[in-house]
Amino acid sequence: MVDLTEEERAAITATMKRVALLMDEIGWATSLADLTEVQVRALIEEAVEGFREAMSDIAKANAPEVPF
């Protein structure tokens, strides 16, 4: 098990929401084995991009303000 930071946990939560929206389009009753390559790729891309964006947003929010 990986020891995640609080920021990483928050990013995962934000990512889950994005992946869930895509799963709404695909259909929650669709089993993993029935997903097409395009659908699997879309889910992975959404997860990776969502995590990256969330971590970036968290880093910006935690960055000290430049005084000039």
Side-chain angles (χ1 to χ4, degrees), residues 31-54:
S31 75
L32 187 58
D34 292 333
L35 293 175
T36 67
E37 179 181 344
V38 172
Q39 290 169 323
V40 172
R41 183 179 305 275
L43 285 168
I44 293 169
E45 289 173 0
E46 192 66 27
V48 170
E49 185 60 26
F51 186 82
R52 289 178 52 200
E53 282 184 21

